[in-house]
Amino acid sequence: MLHLFLEKGPWFRAKRFGYGAGLPFKWQGWVTLAVYVLAMVGLGLFADGHGAMPQIVTVVLMLCITAIFVVIVRKRTEGGWKWRGDLGA
């Protein structure tokens, strides 16, 4: 199953206007997005004021996971990240 994640090609569509990526169009992109959302929700619930984890640790973990997610999405966006669209038109 891991070899399916390692196959070449984009998982996310490029934004039509603006900079960055749009929604996923392959199942690998949807799984990546779901894992990211579940990680953020899980960290948020785990650090929900019960003293299980200091807030600074939660924030640092969230920033690290977000950075990893952004790198993956940027690498797997069709056409790469660049400005698209014309503000003058």
Side-chain angles (χ1 to χ4, degrees):
M1 184 76 170
L2 182 61
H3 69 282
L4 295 175
F5 269 101
L6 300 178
E7 70 183 25
K8 303 248 186 239
W11 299 344
F12 296 87
R13 296 237 185 261
K15 288 179 76 170
R16 189 169 175 189
F17 297 103
Y19 184 80
L23 288 175
F25 69 94
K26 286 196 170 178
W27 69 268
Q28 293 98 327
W30 286 108
V31 169
T32 304
L33 181 61
V35 167
Y36 173 73
V37 169
L38 288 173
M40 292 295 112
V41 170
L43 280 171
L45 291 175
F46 190 69
D48 188 28
H50 298 297
M53 186 168 33
Q55 285 184 347
I56 189 69
V57 173
T58 304
V59 170
V60 168
L61 285 173
M62 285 182 165
L63 288 174
C64 289
I65 292 170
T66 299
I68 292 168
F69 177 71
V70 168
V71 167
I72 292 171
V73 171
R74 187 173 184 154
K75 183 177 179 184
R76 294 296 188 153
T77 299
E78 64 180 359
W81 282 15
K82 61 183 175 184
W83 181 259
R84 290 178 174 83
D86 186 14
L87 294 177

